[in-house]
């Protein structure tokens, strides 16, 4: 059982649930307390100890039966309900039908001269006989049998839930389910002709249907469990590959890796938030506020018993100006995600996106959740080619949104400062520097490339208080952390 | 083992709280493993209630700490009663004169006062706040930490320390260790991500809106005067309202309020008029009421007492809606 639980936890992790060592210990303690006799309690105890996010509950509910299921509902023996005469009739009917099918198949073989599919006709019929035996006598296929069937169908090579349906169907085909359909379609009629009572026929057919569903369910559980196991295994190997995506340059990320990182951003944000919060806490005990101390201690006859401190405003007011041309998209996306997740740590965040002109995108973020908002913004601003123009965008900013910049605002530029030889408008930069608290620049390019080609980075340098290279999520995180440190 | 769970369920039921198997199991575990329980879920599904009835069911004192933005250690743990200290200082002035009376030098006077110092920083002037109360209580207590997601992250970090060692240090007094481990229940409405460290330390229950049957049980328990037929209709209607895209989804407490209102009005059936006049008990936003009315007005002309056919409702709003109608 312990091994089962360990496997299950690995499966959860592979499916993206974060389970720590401490939590798995708790799971063992809890199941130790509860015992394994009552399945509901066992499930509840595992869920309470392993799943701490509402969104992860469906994953748990989906995986639990695969690891701790009974392997599906059992089949029932239908022969017990039949009288000896009825058994005779049934055997007769089945023989007749199978013979007929055999002849059909042979005729088809003769016509087409091909041994098609996964099994020849004879083979299929043999499988069908086996299947009928299961369904009528309620013999459950043993795990080894199911395992063998799974191997034939190619289950061991599957490691994604998408493949499950397809594999199930394949196994069912191997078992001869399709032929069974034909047979079940003709059987009631034939039994009637042979003189079996309608009630017995109905009961028999219903029983066979129920058994067939139970068998399908058993197969589904078998396949599902195998896939979950293999997924956990491949996940473990991936982890051993030691791919640290945090340090992988944005431009080399595959879509799947980017998705993994997106899931990470929330956790990163949580870490940054707690660091920022602790700084806030330290910042609170700042300078003694004499005026407030005196005023609030008048009740104690002027004896300063309660000290009041100046609370520093520690939350930065941000104005983001993001270049969303093709080369920059990944950086901008992750930055916006981070800022969005950290909204409670900034006094306000006003975001603009530009390629050749400036667009206010704050509205999108107010309306939609982060994922959707980023999607909307990036589709609204279709990247073109060689049309980036920061100078013009700065002009628009000063014309229309100059009011958004005051002495508390930190202006953040995200971009490679490649202006396609357009006018960089340093005069406007000068104005922004004067009006704002400070200017920070995040550039994904290596400092060696600053100034090469159409890069105006060196020209902008004198106006920035800090410039960070952000080509990976790790660098971006450091930059954002610094940003929150010095409001 | 299952008996223990049944007992918990029964105890909670005696307090008019219908607990699912899962809740009973988790509470049993919390007791056994001595771990805090974190409950999450939408507002009004009985998270706070659970803490209260748990205390009542186990006969323990309930100590509640309501979190809010800006809550800090001093407010949650202890405060010095400065006013009381001042008052004592004033009242004891004569005594102080005696103490310092024959002191020759300032230094000697100060030394003498210093010798008496600890009376002013003793538990006499310490005003314990919920956390300290829970730790220093002679009897085991249930500590309910409500809406932890509203507190700041630094408070959460502090709480984490308290919950891991069940001891706190008061600089003037030294370390105070808990006599009994209190049972701790935290609730969260998920307004922000809690730290993983805190989640790791807790057992977790997600309380969702109940199923129709479960909610019906609750209504029967709390509003026994409502006709069973009407109760079912009411609960089904609320259940449908929850599937609409509302600003504020009606919670269990609102269902109960509505049920009580229906009893007061002597309603004998849920016709359109009754529903529309009492709608404001269920829904708290004008736009929500309008939206719900619009969905309701698509019912048949005889006030929803007939079984609705297809086309009576906007399929988006009333998918799978089923009135019991005439028997």
């Amino acid at each position: 059982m312990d091994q089962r639980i360990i496997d299950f936890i690995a499966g959860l992790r592979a499916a993206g649930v974060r389970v720590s060592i401490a939590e798995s210990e708790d799971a063992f303690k809890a199941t130790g307390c509860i015992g394994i006799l009552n399945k509901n309690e066992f499930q509840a105890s595992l869920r309470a100890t392993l799943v701490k996010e509402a969104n992860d509950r469906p994953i748990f509910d989906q995986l639990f039966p695969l690891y701790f299921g009974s392997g599906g509902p059992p089949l029932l023996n239908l022969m017990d309900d039949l009288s000896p005469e009825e058994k005779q009739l049934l055997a007769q009917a089945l023989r007749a039908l199978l013979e007929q099918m055999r002849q059909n198949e042979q005729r088809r073989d003769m016509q087409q001269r091909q041994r098609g599919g996964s099994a020849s006709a004879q083979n299929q019929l043999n499988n069908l006989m086996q299947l009928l035996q299961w369904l009528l006598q309620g013999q459950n296929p043993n795990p080894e049998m199911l395992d063998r069937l799974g191997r034939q169908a190619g289950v061991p090579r599957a490691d994604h839930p998408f493949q499950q349906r397809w594999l199930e169907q394949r196994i069912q085909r191997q078992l001869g389910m399709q032929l069974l359909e034909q047979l079940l379609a003709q059987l009631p009629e034939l039994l009637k002709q042979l003189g079996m009572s309608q009630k017995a026929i109905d009961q028999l057919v219903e029983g066979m249907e129920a058994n067939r569903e139970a068998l399908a369910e058993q197969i589904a559980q078998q396949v599902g469990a195998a896939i979950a196991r293999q997924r956990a295994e491949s996940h473990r190997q991936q982890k051993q590959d030691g791919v640290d995506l945090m340090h992988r340059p944005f431009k080399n990320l595959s879509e799947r890796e980017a998705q993994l990182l997106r899931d990470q951003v929330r956790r990163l944000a949580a870490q940054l938030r707690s660091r920022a919060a602790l700084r806030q806490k330290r910042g609170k005990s700042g300078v003694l506020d004499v005026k407030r101390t005196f005023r609030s201690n008048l009740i104690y006859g002027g004896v300063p018993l309660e000290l009041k401190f100046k609370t520093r405003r520690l939350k930065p007011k941000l104005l983001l100006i993001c270049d969303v041309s093709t080369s920059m998209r990944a950086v901008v996306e992750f930055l916006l995600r981070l800022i969005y997740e950290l909204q409670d740590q900034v006094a306000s965040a006003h975001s603009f996106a530009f390629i050749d002109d400036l667009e206010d995108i704050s509205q999108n973020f107010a309306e939609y959740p982060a994922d959707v908002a980023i999607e909307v913004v990036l589709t609204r601003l279709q990247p073109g080619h060689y049309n980036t123009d920061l100078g013009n965008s700065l002009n628009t900013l000063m014309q229309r949104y100059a009011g958004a910049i005051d002495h508390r605002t930190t202006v953040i530029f995200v971009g490679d400062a490649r202006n396609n030889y357009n006018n960089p408008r340093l005069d406007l930069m000068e104005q922004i520097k004067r009006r704002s608290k400070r200017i920070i620049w995040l550039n994904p390019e290596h400092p060696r490339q600053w100034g090469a080609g159409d890069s105006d980075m060196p020209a902008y340098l004198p106006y920035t208080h800090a410039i960070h290279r952000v080509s990976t999520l790790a660098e971006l995180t450091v930059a954002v952390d610094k940003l929150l440190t010095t409001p | 083992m299952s008996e223990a769970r049944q007992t918990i369920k029964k105890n909670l039921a005696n307090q008019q709280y219908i607990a699912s198997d899962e809740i009973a199991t988790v509470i049993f575990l919390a007791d056994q493993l001595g771990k805090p329980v974190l409950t999450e879920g939408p507002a009004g599904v009985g998270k706070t209630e659970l803490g209260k009835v748990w205390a009542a069911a186990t006969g323990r004192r309930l100590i509640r700490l309501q979190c809010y933005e800006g809550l800090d250690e001093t407010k949650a743990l202890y405060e010095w009663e400065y006013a009381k200290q001042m008052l004592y200082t004033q009242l004891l002035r004569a005594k102080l004169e005696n103490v310092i009376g024959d002191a020759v030098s300032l230094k000697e006077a100060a030394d003498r006062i210093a010798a008496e110092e600890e009376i002013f920083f003793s538990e006499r002037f310490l005003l314990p706040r919920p956390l300290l109360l829970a730790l220093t209580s002679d009897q085991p207590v249930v500590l309910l930490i409500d809406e932890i997601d509203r507190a700041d992250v630094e408070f959460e970090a502090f709480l984490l320390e308290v919950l891991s060692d069940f001891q706190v240090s008061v600089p003037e007094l030294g370390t105070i260790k808990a006599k009994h481990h209190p049972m701790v229940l935290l609730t969260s409405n998920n307004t922000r991500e809690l730290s993983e460290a805190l989640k790791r330390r807790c057992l977790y229950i997600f309380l969702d809106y109940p199923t129709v049957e479960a909610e019906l049980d609750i209504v029967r328990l709390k509003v026994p005067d409502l006709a069973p037929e009407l109760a079912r209709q009411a609960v089904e209607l609320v259940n449908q309202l929850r599937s609409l895209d509302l600003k504020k989804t009606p919670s269990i407490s609102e269902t109960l309020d509505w049920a009580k209102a229906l009893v007061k009005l002597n309603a004998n059936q849920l016709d359109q008029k009754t529903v529309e006049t009492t709608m404001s008990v269920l829904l708290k936003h004008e736009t929500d009421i309008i939206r719900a009315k619009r969905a309701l007005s698509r019912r048949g002309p005889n006030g929803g007492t007939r079984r609705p056919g297809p086309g009576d409702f906007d399929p988006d709003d009333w998918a799978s809606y089923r009135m019991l109608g005439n028997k």
Side-chain angles (χ1 to χ4, degrees):
Chain A
M1 198 40 153
D2 283 3
Q3 190 52 46
R4 253 315 152 76
I5 296 175
I6 291 172
D7 289 347
F8 176 59
I9 291 171
L12 282 176
R13 285 183 182 142
V17 182
R18 297 183 54 81
V19 183
S20 69
I21 305 279
E23 281 162 338
S24 43
E25 268 179 37
D26 286 341
F28 277 107
K29 276 189 206 147
T31 48
C33 272
I34 294 274
I36 52 176
L37 296 176
N38 182 323
K39 194 162 160 191
N40 283 346
E41 288 179 10
F42 178 74
Q43 181 168 1
S45 62
L46 280 182
R47 193 171 11 200
T49 45
L50 296 173
V51 180
K52 309 284 172 82
E53 299 277 344
N55 315 342
D56 290 342
R57 288 169 64 90
I59 299 177
F60 178 96
D61 292 342
Q62 187 195 351
L63 286 181
F64 182 83
L66 300 181
Y67 284 86
F68 303 101
S70 50
L75 305 182
L76 302 172
N77 190 347
L78 304 175
M79 301 306 271
D80 295 350
D81 303 335
L82 297 177
S83 65
E85 298 81 53
E86 284 170 334
K87 281 184 194 169
Q88 284 265 312
L89 289 178
L90 180 61
Q92 202 181 333
L94 286 176
R95 262 202 304 278
L97 282 172
L98 283 168
E99 187 51 41
Q100 194 187 337
M101 281 177 151
R102 192 188 311 271
Q103 283 170 3
N104 284 347
E105 290 292 331
Q106 275 176 342
R107 211 171 310 133
R108 202 172 304 160
D109 262 3
M110 297 288 279
Q111 281 168 358
Q112 301 186 352
R113 277 275 163 232
Q114 60 167 9
R115 297 226 174 278
S118 51
S120 67
Q122 187 54 45
N123 223 342
Q124 288 234 4
L125 282 169
N126 289 346
N127 286 345
L128 179 61
M129 305 263 271
Q130 167 79 67
L131 183 64
L132 279 170
Q133 204 174 7
W134 282 344
L135 293 187
L136 290 169
Q137 300 182 353
Q139 289 178 348
N140 293 295
N142 56 20
E144 287 76 28
M145 179 86 192
L146 282 173
D147 197 41
R148 193 169 56 80
L149 283 166
R151 273 204 306 279
Q152 284 172 350
V155 170
R157 287 188 301 281
D159 61 356
H160 202 284
F162 287 150
Q163 296 156 303
Q164 182 165 343
R165 285 292 309 148
W166 178 76
L167 285 166
E168 283 170 33
Q169 284 164 356
R170 231 181 126 156
I171 294 177
Q172 291 186 359
R173 264 207 305 280
Q174 283 175 357
L175 283 172
M177 286 270 194
Q178 282 164 315
L179 289 173
L180 182 75
E181 292 276 350
Q182 294 176 22
L183 190 136
L184 279 179
Q186 297 166 349
L187 187 65
E189 195 52 40
L190 189 61
L191 285 173
K192 208 167 170 174
Q193 285 170 13
L194 290 170
M196 197 191 260
S197 71
Q198 190 60 44
K199 186 164 163 263
I201 295 175
D202 287 347
Q203 207 178 357
L204 181 75
V205 173
E206 264 172 39
M208 283 178 82
E209 289 282 359
N211 273 349
R212 189 174 60 166
E213 272 167 28
L215 182 65
E217 179 60 26
Q218 286 186 11
I219 293 171
Q221 296 232 343
Q222 167 81 14
V223 174
I227 288 179
R229 268 199 308 276
Q230 283 139 14
R231 197 163 180 214
E233 192 48 46
S234 64
H235 178 76
R236 196 172 303 137
Q237 279 169 352
Q238 262 177 22
K239 282 199 91 142
Q240 282 165 347
D241 291 347
V243 184
D244 192 356
L245 295 176
M246 287 283 293
H247 296 279
R248 181 88 68 82
F250 288 122
K251 55 178 191 250
N252 304 344
L253 287 175
S254 71
E255 186 44 44
R256 196 171 151 276
E257 289 165 341
Q259 196 51 53
L260 285 174
L261 275 187
R262 281 177 202 129
D263 299 341
Q264 287 253 346
V265 163
R266 289 186 71 176
R267 296 193 37 252
L268 267 182
Q271 284 171 10
L272 285 179
R273 181 182 297 123
S274 40
R275 291 179 58 170
L278 290 172
R279 274 196 298 268
Q280 298 256 13
K281 186 181 169 185
R282 283 196 286 277
K284 269 191 187 136
S285 50
V287 188
L288 186 70
D289 188 337
V290 180
K291 202 162 64 178
R292 274 181 65 218
T293 306
F294 264 107
R295 195 175 297 161
S296 62
N297 283 298
L298 285 173
I299 44 172
Y300 309 127
V303 181
L305 287 169
E306 274 185 68
L307 302 182
K308 298 284 180 191
F309 295 96
K310 282 187 176 138
T311 44
R312 304 212 318 264
R313 280 220 197 92
L314 290 158
K315 293 187 174 177
K317 200 173 155 187
L318 303 181
L319 188 132
L320 292 104
I321 300 171
C322 309
D323 178 348
V324 287
S325 55
T326 323
S327 55
M328 296 294 312
R329 296 211 148 202
V331 186
V332 167
E333 184 198 335
F334 280 105
L335 175 71
L336 288 181
R337 267 175 200 281
L338 266 179
I339 297 291
Y340 187 90
E341 289 284 348
L342 288 167
Q343 271 187 333
D344 54 336
Q345 291 301 323
V346 294
S348 72
H350 209 131
S351 326
F352 297 94
F354 76 91
I355 296 178
D356 56 342
D357 199 354
L358 200 71
E359 287 256 12
D360 187 347
I361 55 174
S362 306
Q363 193 53 33
N364 298 93
F365 278 85
E367 274 172 33
Y368 305 109
D371 290 20
V372 185
I374 285 162
E375 198 63 40
V376 170
V377 169
L378 294 184
T379 44
R380 201 172 82 189
L381 291 155
Q382 287 297 340
H385 286 288
Y386 305 113
N387 52 1
T388 313
D389 185 352
L390 178 55
N392 182 32
S393 309
L394 286 179
N395 191 24
T396 312
L397 178 77
M398 294 314 280
Q399 297 279 334
R400 277 200 259 154
Y401 306 106
I405 308 177
D406 59 24
H407 67 282
R408 282 190 51 210
T409 317
T410 302
V411 181
I412 303 170
F413 284 93
V414 189
D416 50 11
R418 292 187 178 275
N419 267 334
N420 298 310
Y421 306 105
N422 289 317
N423 181 354
R425 297 299 303 266
L426 298 177
D427 53 320
L428 293 176
M429 218 46 188
E430 172 69 39
Q431 280 185 34
I432 294 172
K433 183 183 174 180
R434 266 209 314 272
R435 296 183 66 128
S436 69
K437 184 171 176 170
R438 60 189 168 153
I439 297 179
I440 288 179
W441 198 295
L442 306 179
N443 189 334
E445 285 193 334
H446 193 280
R448 271 201 307 267
Q449 293 160 315
W450 298 349
D454 60 351
S455 167
D456 285 325
M457 199 68 239
Y460 287 127
L461 266 180
Y463 303 97
T464 55
H465 295 78
I467 175 161
H468 300 279
R469 182 192 176 202
V470 289
S471 58
T472 67
L473 189 53
E475 287 170 347
L476 185 63
T477 314
V478 171
V480 172
D481 191 34
K482 281 220 176 76
L483 189 81
L484 297 175
T485 321
T486 43
Chain B
M1 156 60 235
S2 277
E3 263 173 57
R5 189 197 66 178
Q6 290 303 342
T7 319
I8 290 176
K9 272 181 93 156
K10 208 162 65 228
N11 288 343
L12 290 177
N14 291 343
Q15 302 296 326
Q16 308 258 301
Y17 190 92
I18 298 177
S20 66
D21 289 3
E22 184 171 17
I23 292 176
T25 308
V26 173
I27 285 188
F28 170 81
L29 280 175
D31 225 349
Q32 292 285 313
L33 306 177
K35 289 183 93 69
V37 176
L38 169 66
T39 56
E40 272 188 346
V45 289
K47 299 190 291 290
T48 305
E49 189 64 17
L50 176 61
K52 290 180 185 166
V53 295
W54 186 5
T58 48
R60 293 176 180 168
R61 180 176 164 202
L62 174 79
I63 295 179
R64 181 170 174 177
L65 172 66
Q66 174 66 48
C67 299
Y68 52 88
E69 201 171 337
L71 172 70
D72 58 2
E73 291 163 45
T74 54
K75 295 197 185 73
L77 200 55
Y78 68 90
E79 286 185 278
W80 289 110
E81 289 193 274
Y82 294 117
K84 199 168 161 190
Q85 285 170 330
M86 282 297 301
L87 194 64
Y88 272 60
T89 324
Q90 298 288 343
L91 293 175
L92 300 176
R93 189 166 281 181
K95 264 273 166 253
L96 283 174
E97 303 271 305
N98 294 348
V99 171
I100 319 170
D102 53 354
V104 198
S105 65
L106 263 183
K107 184 178 175 305
E108 198 182 338
D111 283 346
R112 288 191 186 180
I113 289 184
E116 307 286 343
E117 199 168 52
E118 56 266 24
I119 61 160
F120 284 105
F121 284 104
S122 63
E123 301 200 11
R124 187 193 307 256
F125 297 106
L126 192 75
L127 193 64
R129 290 282 175 199
L131 280 180
L132 195 63
L133 277 178
L135 289 181
T136 51
S137 163
D138 292 329
Q139 301 301 323
V141 294
V142 170
L143 173 63
L144 170 65
I145 300 173
D146 218 359
E147 299 185 332
I148 174 71
D149 50 326
R150 294 201 182 189
D152 306 332
V153 180
E154 63 251 38
F155 180 75
E156 198 184 313
F158 158 75
L159 198 61
L160 204 63
E161 288 168 32
V162 176
L163 292 183
S164 57
D165 315 334
F166 288 105
Q167 62 176 38
V168 288
S169 51
V170 178
E172 296 87 347
L173 298 177
T175 304
I176 297 177
K177 228 178 148 40
K179 298 188 175 104
H180 304 274
H181 274 210
M183 287 290 254
V184 185
L185 185 94
L186 300 99
T187 74
S188 156
N189 290 336
N190 231 339
T191 54
R192 70 171 173 85
E193 197 76 4
L194 296 173
S195 77
E196 293 202 3
L198 186 75
K199 285 188 164 180
R200 268 206 294 277
R201 197 137 292 154
C202 300
L203 299 171
Y204 181 90
I205 317 179
F206 184 79
L207 291 180
D208 210 342
Y209 292 119
T211 58
V212 170
E213 292 308 322
E215 192 162 20
L216 202 52
D217 285 343
I218 297 171
V219 171
R220 283 195 198 115
L221 184 75
K222 303 257 184 182
V223 193
D225 304 339
L226 191 64
E229 187 64 6
L230 200 57
R232 176 170 281 279
Q233 288 184 20
V235 168
E236 288 194 344
L237 191 111
V238 173
N239 202 25
Q240 287 309 317
L241 288 178
R242 283 183 191 142
S243 66
L244 296 180
D245 182 22
L246 299 176
K247 272 187 184 164
K248 191 194 172 307
T249 312
S251 65
I252 302 178
S253 41
E254 270 128 14
T255 310
L256 293 174
D257 290 345
W258 192 43
K260 285 172 194 158
L262 290 175
V263 172
K264 283 270 186 298
L265 291 171
N266 281 326
N268 46 14
Q269 61 165 5
L270 272 192
D271 50 32
Q272 193 160 338
K273 192 163 160 294
T274 314
V275 172
E276 290 199 356
T277 47
T278 53
M279 188 63 89
S280 55
V281 179
L282 272 179
L283 302 172
K284 307 288 160 80
H285 286 277
E286 190 56 32
T287 48
D288 286 354
I289 292 177
I290 291 168
R291 187 183 282 260
K293 277 184 182 168
R294 212 177 40 220
L296 284 171
S297 66
R298 299 200 186 94
R299 281 198 198 181
N302 44 4
T305 49
R306 68 185 181 86
R307 195 172 285 281
D312 272 357
F313 303 119
D314 176 354
D316 294 341
D317 280 358
W318 296 90
S320 78
Y321 183 76
R322 195 170 60 78
M323 287 290 295
L324 277 181
N326 294 331
K327 283 182 147 177

